[in-house]
């Protein structure tokens, strides 16, 4: 692809993601690994750069979990998987890629160094940052070609949760956001364009407010980690899986809707029920207290056990929502229709093989 050709120009000729054949992943941890799983599940080859000597092992664990989940996610035939290749440099990883996905630690200096190396080796690919809240304008400030950087913020597990927040910086080419809407929808996601650039974007700002309050309740001895999670998963969490905060409270207002809800409970918003902006001091003792309670809550279940339970529950919830053509289930139904339209995987592709058979080159320790 030459410098003047935009990925969207290629994709408009066919399906939204058909002509993306290679993506480069800079960072192969929990988020980067999740991206790898979703991309290869949609037939896209990925080249991974991660200096962690344990990167291959960690990534394979994520890919194995994703393979297990996708076997249950849909009845549609799965396309032939893309290949995974480990590279020893950023330049090697991004060579020939149409999409560069950055999932490195949340430090502006590290991300900007990655962009400089990627730009030097690839002059045309869209660069999508997985940042959870750094402003894209700040990310692109040192770039030679800032117009091709966007934020595409996913949610863990990336291979199952459909939400991806798309955010443009001050210098982002608007075409890249429009392209991204098509591309991410084409790999089974729900692209949400955050029209106003703001720290933390939308979902994380909402999640952090709840998490902050939960930490205070635990620190003040009001409730344990297990009790706090029970307060969500047996109540509002079930509502949130299908309706967001606004629609949930709109429904709670009865026939009067949100107006009735605000009339009844609006005054409560001024009561000191929350510590919305105060953050408990994260002393070593408090961190250990929270960690110990979460370890107790997990019991004998390992991180892999919890991931499998989480994935099984997410699949079941999305399948239930799909039956009602609602929320994340509606996104899954659209993705399933695309898979049926594509047809079965190539005869040579054995989807029952263990994930270790995926092609890759492991970097030396």
């Amino acid at each position: 692809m030459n410098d003047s050709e935009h990925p969207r120009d290629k994709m408009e000729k066919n399906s939204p993601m058909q002509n993306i054949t290679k993506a480069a992943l800079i960072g192969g941890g929990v988020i980067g690994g999740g991206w790898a799983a979703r991309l290869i599940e949609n037939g896209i080859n990925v080249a991974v750069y991660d200096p962690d000597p344990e990167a291959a092992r960690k990534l394979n664990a994520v890919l194995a979990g994703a393979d297990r989940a996708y076997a249950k996610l849909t009845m549609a035939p799965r396309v032939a998987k893309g290949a995974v290749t480990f590279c020893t440099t950023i330049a090697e990883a991004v060579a020939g890629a149409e999409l560069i996905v950055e999932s490195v630690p949340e430090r502006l200096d590290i991300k900007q160094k990655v962009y400089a190396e990627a730009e030097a080796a690839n002059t045309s690919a869209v660069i999508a940052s997985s940042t959870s809240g750094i402003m894209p304008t700040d990310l692109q400030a040192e770039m030679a070609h800032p117009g091709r950087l966007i934020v595409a913020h996913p949610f863990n597990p990336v291979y199952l949760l459909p939400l991806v927040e798309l955010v443009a910086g001050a210098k982002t080419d608007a075409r890249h956001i429009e392209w991204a809407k098509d591309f991410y929808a084409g790999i089974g996601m729900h692209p949400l364009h955050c029209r106003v650039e703001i720290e933390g974007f939308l979902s994380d700002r909402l999640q952090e407010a709840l998490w902050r309050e939960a930490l205070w309740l635990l620190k003040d001895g009001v409730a344990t980690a297990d009790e706090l999670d029970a307060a969500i998963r047996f109540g509002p969490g079930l509502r949130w899986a299908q309706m967001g905060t606004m629609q949930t409270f709109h429904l709670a207002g009865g026939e009067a809707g949100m107006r009735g809800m605000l009339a009844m409970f609006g005054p409560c918003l001024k009561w000191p029920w929350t510590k919305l902006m105060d953050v408990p001091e994260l002393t070593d003792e408090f961190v250990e207290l929270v960690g110990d309670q979460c370890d107790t809550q997990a019991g004998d279940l390992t991180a892999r056990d919890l991931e499998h339970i989480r994935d099984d529950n997410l699949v079941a919830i999305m399948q239930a929502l799909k039956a009602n053509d609602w929320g994340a289930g509606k996104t899954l139904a659209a993705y399933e229709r695309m898979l049926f339209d594509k047809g079965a995987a190539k005869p040579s592709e054995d989807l029952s093989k263990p994930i270790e058979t995926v092609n890759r080159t492991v970097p030396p320790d």
Side-chain angles (χ1 to χ4, degrees):
M1 183 167 64
N2 59 47
D3 288 3
S4 62
E5 188 177 13
H6 187 275
R8 184 180 175 87
D9 298 333
K10 294 177 66 179
M11 290 193 294
E12 282 176 344
K13 300 171 185 175
N14 297 289
S15 71
M17 47 73 66
Q18 182 175 350
N19 284 302
I20 290 288
T21 58
K22 177 186 176 182
L25 303 182
I26 312 304
V30 173
I31 297 300
W35 275 126
R38 185 176 280 277
L39 291 168
I40 67 169
E41 190 66 35
N42 285 279
I44 298 172
N45 298 324
V46 299
V48 181
Y49 170 76
D50 192 317
D52 181 358
E54 291 288 304
R57 178 189 63 79
K58 293 176 182 177
L59 179 63
N60 275 337
V62 176
L63 296 181
D67 186 71
R68 175 183 176 277
Y70 269 86
K72 305 176 181 183
L73 182 62
T74 174
M75 295 298 292
R78 296 161 71 185
V79 302
K81 283 181 182 169
V84 178
T85 304
F86 268 88
C87 302
T88 55
T89 66
I90 290 176
E92 180 188 358
V94 304
E98 294 110 337
L99 173 66
I100 300 170
V101 179
E102 171 268 300
S103 304
V104 302
E106 292 286 76
R107 280 181 47 189
L108 185 60
D109 59 331
I110 294 177
K111 291 179 184 291
Q112 289 179 337
K113 184 176 183 295
V114 165
Y115 304 150
E117 292 187 47
E119 282 192 296
N122 184 309
T123 60
S124 57
V126 170
I127 300 176
S129 175
S130 300
T131 180
S132 298
I134 299 176
M135 302 270 271
T137 294
D138 294 332
L139 294 175
Q140 63 190 192
E142 303 296 327
M143 293 180 66
H145 304 284
R148 59 186 175 131
L149 181 131
I150 66 171
V151 163
H153 173 226
F155 295 82
N156 185 40
V158 182
Y159 52 82
L160 280 182
L161 291 184
L163 181 61
V164 56
E165 293 179 318
L166 303 178
V167 195
K171 296 181 179 179
T172 299
D173 187 330
R175 292 185 306 159
H176 296 327
I177 293 293
E178 294 307 309
W179 166 80
K181 291 177 183 178
D182 287 344
F183 172 72
Y184 291 107
I187 59 173
M189 304 189 81
H190 180 86
L192 174 61
H193 182 196
C194 300
R195 296 175 293 101
V196 177
E197 187 183 13
I198 187 172
E199 295 93 339
F201 318 133
L202 299 181
S203 187
D204 273 0
R205 292 178 74 99
L206 295 171
Q207 291 185 93
E208 188 174 309
L210 177 61
W211 187 33
R212 188 183 298 116
E213 186 64 22
L215 288 174
W216 270 119
L217 291 169
L218 193 152
K219 187 176 190 305
D220 291 344
V222 175
T224 65
D226 190 58
E227 291 165 346
L228 290 167
D229 281 349
I232 295 299
R233 65 192 185 108
F234 293 109
L238 294 174
R239 298 187 305 205
W240 290 339
Q242 52 163 330
M243 294 180 181
T245 299
M246 302 305 290
Q247 194 168 54
T248 293
F249 284 135
H250 173 70
L251 187 60
E255 293 183 358
M258 181 60 82
R259 293 175 183 83
M261 186 66 179
L262 288 171
M264 287 187 289
F265 297 102
C268 301
L269 297 176
K270 295 183 178 181
W271 296 353
W273 279 3
T274 68
K275 296 183 179 181
L276 194 57
M277 288 308 298
D278 291 332
V279 181
E281 185 180 357
L282 299 180
T283 62
D284 291 343
E285 294 76 14
F286 182 52
V287 170
E288 284 303 307
L289 174 64
V290 177
D292 287 345
Q293 289 196 14
C294 289
D295 288 342
T296 299
Q297 185 181 20
D300 295 331
L301 297 174
T302 67
R304 288 284 98 79
D305 293 334
L306 289 171
E307 286 174 355
H308 290 168
I309 291 168
R310 174 202 66 192
D311 289 357
D312 288 347
N313 289 336
L314 287 173
V315 167
I317 290 168
M318 287 193 285
Q319 286 286 353
L321 293 172
K322 187 186 75 171
N324 290 326
D325 197 31
W326 192 263
K330 196 168 187 175
T331 303
L332 175 58
Y335 179 56
E336 189 172 61
R337 286 193 295 271
M338 284 192 287
L339 291 177
F340 275 119
D341 289 343
K342 285 178 178 296
K346 296 175 183 177
S348 61
E349 179 74 5
D350 183 358
L351 293 173
S352 67
K353 289 180 180 179
I355 204 68
E356 283 73 21
T357 62
V358 175
N359 296 329
R360 65 183 183 275
T361 302
V362 180
D365 291 342

